[in-house]
Amino acid sequence: MFHYCIAGSGLFGSVFAYEASKRGKKCLVLEKRPHIGGNCYTHNEEGINVHSYGAHIFRTSELAIWNYMQCFCEFNHFINSPLANYKGEIYNLPFNMNTFSKLWNIRTPQQAKAIIEEQKKACPHPSNLEEHALSLVGTDVYEKFIKGYTQKQWGRSCKDLPSSILRRIPVRFIYDNNYFNDPYQGIPKRGYTRIFEKLLEKCEVRLNTDFLEYKQKYKDCCEKVIFTGTIDSYFDFCLGTLEYRSLRFEQEYLECENYQGVAVVNYTDEQTPFTRIIEHKHFEFGTQKHTIISREYPQEYSIDKEAYYPINDERNTALYEEYRKLAHREEKVIFGGRLGSYRYYDMQDVIKAALELVSVEFRE
């Protein structure tokens, strides 16, 4: 008999499993993939740590979260400074004075602000992403950097997406290519997978095992379940299907030493079928004589694909709330993580949520 059966070995499940094990609890971790770590999983190929499910750059503004992660790895000093490729034109991201200087051939923040003010479309209460973008940065930035990329990413017109998506994109009137404002940033040396190996070393882990195939069996073998899969799948989609976007990756080994000169390049025009190219060696300042790149293609989600991004529009948010009511009736099941909570979590958010659950479960 286990104290906890944890469905999913991503960050939420693994952090909780580690903390529960530390308190003497016996944990069974089930993972339907052939590896631990969820979407953070990295594998070493030809001496390069490849981010198998897209770029994962750890960052946080909370010293406590940063110190917590230091228990499991040492971070390098990687700073995320991606580029935008718009039909062959290269620009710095996030939107900052380097971007505006090249875009409009200007030098000062005052010039940039004047152009943006002139192009802005007043909309005090934007009802969709397009209205929000045009009210924030005007037509040039929207048309070149936001519209095409976003519509590829989400498979929907910007007019049909909630304005909240854009709030994740910083705009700065200084010459600063650091994508994040967080003071603590980096990539784990030797990759993410070693973190999960340490988190789960005292747990029983079963790979290639889908909790939902034998749900009742696993519920019976433990006191509580931590479920980190899609909440609608747990209830057999009885109220309908929540919508997500999925991703497909094409990985390529190249004999050249340096393919694009930076870890991440976003392709912001709508015609290029992929959204970005990741060159993995640059996350760890690699000096190998070869390189590995991944092209990232957004795609429609179906239950045979991985769910990446919840589509938190009005319809899906309302449906999730109905599933959440069902979840409250499941006495021994706790739903958590990005999929169980139907929220777009960054890594630090997942860790914080898992530690909050630990405090509640163990009354600390």
Side-chain angles (χ1 to χ4, degrees):
M1 187 74 172
F2 293 92
H3 292 102
Y4 292 95
C5 176
I6 299 162
S9 66
L11 265 177
F12 188 91
S14 295
V15 168
F16 182 87
Y18 171 80
E19 293 295 331
S21 299
K22 198 166 70 172
R23 291 160 174 80
K25 303 300 181 182
K26 188 177 179 184
C27 296
L28 170 65
V29 178
L30 306 177
E31 174 55 62
K32 67 179 182 179
R33 294 178 183 178
H35 58 74
I36 57 175
N39 289 345
C40 293
Y41 172 71
T42 53
H43 68 278
N44 191 280
E45 189 170 333
E46 302 291 337
I48 296 171
N49 288 313
V50 176
H51 294 220
S52 305
Y53 300 96
H56 283 78
I57 299 129
F58 190 81
R59 45 96 179 191
T60 180
S61 58
E62 297 189 34
L63 181 59
I65 297 294
W66 181 250
N67 287 340
Y68 182 80
M69 290 303 290
Q70 300 288 325
C71 299
F72 310 104
C73 69
E74 180 184 356
F75 286 96
N76 65 18
H77 58 282
F78 179 84
I79 297 296
N80 190 28
S81 303
L83 297 175
N85 182 320
Y86 177 78
K87 298 182 179 180
E89 300 171 8
I90 302 297
Y91 297 89
N92 291 108
L93 294 175
F95 309 138
N96 72 87
M97 283 306 300
N98 288 306
T99 320
F100 304 143
S101 177
K102 181 169 183 180
L103 183 61
W104 296 314
N105 192 28
I106 59 169
R107 294 184 300 108
T108 69
Q110 291 74 24
Q111 290 172 305
K113 288 179 181 179
I115 293 172
I116 288 174
E117 284 299 320
E118 183 182 344
Q119 293 186 2
K120 276 184 182 180
K121 295 189 177 180
C123 188
H125 306 290
S127 62
N128 58 54
L129 189 145
E130 179 170 282
E131 290 178 357
H132 182 64
L134 291 172
S135 69
L136 183 68
V137 291
T139 52
D140 285 352
V141 173
Y142 172 68
E143 292 290 339
K144 278 202 171 186
F145 306 124
I146 297 174
K147 184 178 180 180
Y149 183 91
T150 304
Q151 292 182 168
K152 285 190 296 186
Q153 181 79 355
W154 295 97
R156 289 160 175 74
S157 167
C158 289
K159 295 178 181 178
D160 298 325
L161 290 168
S163 61
S164 58
I165 293 174
L166 195 63
R167 293 190 184 114
R168 295 173 51 80
I169 302 175
V171 178
R172 304 191 188 114
F173 293 99
I174 56 175
Y175 288 90
D176 180 7
N177 299 325
N178 183 350
Y179 196 84
F180 301 122
N181 288 317
D182 305 88
Y184 310 108
Q185 302 180 42
I187 301 288
K189 294 181 179 179
R190 303 173 74 186
Y192 280 96
T193 301
R194 299 183 71 85
I195 296 173
F196 292 92
E197 290 170 350
K198 292 180 180 180
L199 287 170
L200 299 175
E201 62 184 356
K202 293 183 179 178
C203 304
E204 181 175 333
V205 179
R206 300 178 189 173
L207 301 178
N208 300 301
T209 304
D210 188 346
F211 168 86
L212 293 177
E213 286 186 13
Y214 304 98
K215 182 164 63 174
Q216 196 57 51
K217 167 190 168 182
Y218 288 119
K219 286 176 72 174
D220 291 342
C221 80
C222 66
E223 294 177 6
K224 282 190 178 181
V225 171
I226 308 295
F227 185 77
T228 69
T230 52
I231 190 170
D232 53 346
S233 68
Y234 179 89
F235 294 104
D236 298 317
F237 311 101
C238 64
L239 301 177
T241 304
L242 289 166
E243 293 180 288
Y244 296 85
R245 286 293 281 173
S246 188
L247 296 172
R248 175 174 63 85
F249 300 94
E250 286 185 358
Q251 185 179 308
E252 185 177 359
Y253 172 91
L254 299 171
E255 290 292 348
C256 67
E257 220 175 301
N258 185 3
Y259 177 74
Q260 62 186 18
V262 69
V264 180
V265 176
N266 291 353
Y267 286 75
T268 59
D269 63 280
E270 202 165 359
Q271 292 70 39
T272 303
F274 47 85
T275 48
R276 56 184 180 174
I277 294 180
I278 299 163
E279 188 167 6
H280 301 272
K281 68 186 293 183
H282 294 310
F283 288 127
E284 299 185 60
F285 316 106
T287 58
Q288 297 90 346
K289 298 297 182 183
H290 54 271
T291 193
I292 295 173
I293 63 171
S294 295
R295 294 178 179 86
E296 190 171 302
Y297 294 83
Q299 60 181 357
E300 286 297 322
Y301 168 72
S302 57
I303 58 173
D304 60 324
K305 298 183 176 70
E306 294 295 336
Y308 282 86
Y309 305 111
I311 299 174
N312 296 119
D313 59 14
E314 188 175 341
R315 177 256 172 195
N316 284 291
T317 300
L319 180 56
Y320 167 69
E321 286 302 317
E322 293 304 309
Y323 275 117
R324 197 160 68 93
K325 291 174 186 176
L326 290 183
H328 285 319
R329 299 175 199 162
E330 292 281 320
E331 291 185 4
K332 65 183 292 181
V333 182
I334 298 169
F335 296 81
R338 182 173 47 90
L339 304 182
S341 303
Y342 198 65
R343 291 180 59 186
Y344 186 91
Y345 272 132
D346 287 316
M347 284 183 285
Q348 74 273 16
D349 301 320
V350 177
I351 295 164
K352 188 174 181 179
L355 293 175
E356 286 172 354
L357 175 60
V358 169
S359 296
V360 171
E361 276 293 288
F362 302 110
R363 295 178 174 83
E364 296 175 350

